[in-house]
Amino acid sequence: MPSDATAATPCWQTARFRIDVSRPRVMAIINATPDSFSGHGAEVDADDARRRCDRALAEGADLLDIGGESTRPGSTPPPVEEELRRVLPVVRHAVGLGVPISVDTSRLDVVRAVLDLGADIVNDVRALRAPGVLSEIASRPAVGVCLMHLPGEPATMQDDPRYGDVVAEVGAFLRERRDAVLAAGVGADRVVLDPGYGFGKTLEHNLELARRQRELLALGCPLMVGWSRKGTLGRLTGRPVQERVAASVGAALAAACAGATVLRVHDVAPTVDALKVWLALRGDDAGMGGPRG
Ligand code: HH2
């Protein structure tokens, strides 16, 4: 059984880049989906998604996270051919941009195809539980992974979620998945964990996780968080999804203060500004100079 201590690392090893996560990094969300909760609702346009990649980098994103499946509450996955159709043209473009490229997927065919194109990271909301995915990742020398907590499936995850101690249960799940990944031969420095804010959790569960987020750092892996524009922020502010930028920046900053080092966001420019100021105020203003160690 791998110990927590050996998993501790300030770097995230990915296929082409060793990312210094001793300070927060901004991961831009590039959804190539027609149905994400955060916007669009129109047919996917690969040119538009490619332009969003370029813009996110111009605004200071450190990494891009490209997704072809909406995992909003109540959603069901598209056919795998459709997910491939959405994601591949965007990944093909993004891998030439000189930054680490993550793909938000759970499916073996998509994982294989994007890694063959040169993607660096698999961000899996299902924590590499689909058949074949973990062994595919383990067969590659240095692909980074993000393992997220998701109880059940997005279609039903918000149907009365219950926990005894949400932090203990999310922590136990992440530990079990982390250990399974290490046992398959993936190096500890390739693994990042994510509590999955908004996934199978009520407002109270999300707040409890946020307040005790530091407890998850005891697992010894860097933490990713995705608060951006989520329903809990809408509940707290009374604002619709398009008006949650300030709330999202506030949540990302609070998560960074509590030790999260990969911030998954839609609104790159305001997040980068907020981090610059926070790092300068705490005397660490060299911090936003790029992720590659
Ligand atoms: N949230 C979403 C999707 N992927 N991955 C990680 N690691 N953490 C998250 O919190 C997370 C995630 C949902 O957000 P979004 O991609 O904007 O929406 P949709 O799934 O509707 O496309």
Side-chain angles (χ1 to χ4, degrees), residues 199-218:
F199 284 85
K201 296 164 189 92
T202 62
L203 171 94
E204 291 73 25
H205 295 141
N206 289 320
L207 294 180
E208 182 73 8
L209 274 165
R211 289 172 186 145
R212 295 169 55 198
Q213 187 183 273
R214 282 193 179 280
E215 292 177 36
L216 299 176
L217 293 173

Side-chain angles (χ1 to χ4, degrees), residues 53-93:
C53 292
D54 299 346
R55 190 169 66 234
L57 293 185
E59 291 179 352
D62 298 302
L63 312 84
L64 303 178
D65 186 39
I66 298 162
E69 177 198 353
S70 170
T71 49
R72 72 191 184 285
S75 62
T76 50
V80 67
E81 301 74 28
E82 175 61 15
E83 190 179 340
L84 287 164
R85 188 185 74 80
R86 293 173 182 178
V87 157
L88 294 189
V90 189
V91 173
R92 215 170 269 125
H93 171 74

